[in-house]
Amino acid sequence: MLPRRLRIFYLHGFASSPASRKARFFAARLGEEHASLETPALDQGDFSHLTISGQLALLERLLGGDPAILIGSSLGGYLAALYAARHPEIERSVLLAPAFNFAQIWRDAIGPRQLEAWKRDGVLSVFHYGQNRQVPLFYSFLEDALRFEPFPEFGQPTLLFHGNQDTSVPVQSSVEFAERHPNARLVQLDSGHEMTDVLEQIWLEVRPFLSNRLVDSEC
């Protein structure tokens, strides 16, 4: 059984929401262990003005310096890594296809022509999976993302999951991160970016990773 004392946060991916399938999965599994999962809406209801700085500030307000465990998916995984690098009180993290080198991934995915149009017009239409519709996103999102280090340096124990068939975030980024960080263990899976087809397999690794640390914290 997982003690309730330590706070656990799930950080959803870009253009997603607290109602995502992975968020609901982890909430259900942790609930079976009598632990609760906090799943904030990282865009705070204003996706158009989303920035990494704003998301980090939200976490700081929500956590208030409390020790916690962070579970993050894609951009949420990168956000968890950034936050852990700046907050040693974070106990450990679980990163699902973390979008390391996020700004460069975005520039490569968009391409120079669309990138220039985004910069010129100031807004880009993006499909928001949580809202199931196209939503405008301001160029300040990318400008802000460029301020942050591609591979955050942090020493807390970390469990990484990445699909070998991921076409959104290269698995090699997680491979390289794990090779340079002895605190991180990488589990490569036969899956794509979402990894919703291997969630039970992921939980078999996550449960002991969380349980052991939480039990230790009670001693």
Side-chain angles (χ1 to χ4, degrees):
M1 182 181 295
L2 299 179
R4 302 179 186 180
R5 187 174 65 83
L6 196 61
R7 301 175 72 184
I8 308 174
F9 279 75
Y10 179 84
L11 310 181
H12 62 74
F14 174 78
S16 186
S17 76
S20 72
R21 182 174 173 182
K22 287 195 286 290
R24 290 184 281 111
F25 174 84
F26 283 110
R29 290 295 176 271
L30 287 165
E32 293 169 0
E33 304 293 336
H34 304 283
S36 61
L37 182 68
E38 300 181 55
T39 56
L42 296 173
D43 64 7
Q44 303 177 71
D46 185 7
F47 177 77
S48 295
H49 291 92
L50 180 71
T51 62
I52 289 176
S53 293
Q55 292 176 89
L56 289 173
L58 172 64
L59 288 178
E60 288 177 347
R61 292 196 300 273
L62 292 174
L63 278 163
D66 289 345
I69 288 171
L70 301 180
I71 304 173
S73 174
S74 193
L75 175 56
Y78 178 53
L79 184 69
L82 287 169
Y83 194 86
R86 291 154 173 77
H87 292 270
E89 71 273 12
I90 295 302
E91 297 277 347
R92 56 180 51 198
S93 61
V94 176
L95 309 182
L96 310 170
F100 294 129
N101 201 19
F102 179 75
Q104 187 60 52
I105 287 175
W106 253 83
R107 288 186 291 188
D108 291 344
I110 292 174
R113 183 173 299 178
Q114 191 174 19
L115 184 63
E116 183 58 35
W118 188 15
K119 184 176 182 179
R120 181 189 65 242
D121 301 336
V123 66
L124 176 72
S125 181
V126 173
F127 185 79
H128 195 292
Y129 295 94
Q131 300 182 29
N132 196 33
R133 64 185 180 94
Q134 294 291 130
V135 181
L137 178 66
F138 288 110
Y139 186 71
S140 54
F141 173 73
L142 182 58
E143 289 180 317
D144 180 78
L146 289 166
R147 298 173 47 211
F148 293 93
E149 65 272 27
F151 293 90
E153 293 293 334
F154 61 97
Q156 297 95 321
T158 298
L159 186 57
L160 284 164
F161 296 93
H162 215 125
N164 290 327
Q165 303 167 30
D166 192 331
T167 58
S168 298
V169 178
V171 65
Q172 189 60 28
S173 63
S174 285
V175 171
E176 293 175 3
F177 184 86
E179 287 175 347
R180 297 196 306 268
H181 295 82
N183 58 301
R185 181 168 73 89
L186 172 62
V187 179
Q188 295 188 56
L189 300 165
D190 186 19
S191 186
H193 184 63
E194 294 298 321
M195 295 191 292
T196 52
D197 58 333
V198 290
L199 287 176
E200 294 294 348
Q201 186 177 346
I202 288 172
W203 178 246
L204 291 177
E205 299 277 355
V206 170
R207 187 184 185 280
F209 179 72
L210 298 187
S211 297
N212 292 341
R213 185 65 189 96
L214 290 172
V215 170
D216 290 345
S217 71
E218 292 293 309
C219 297

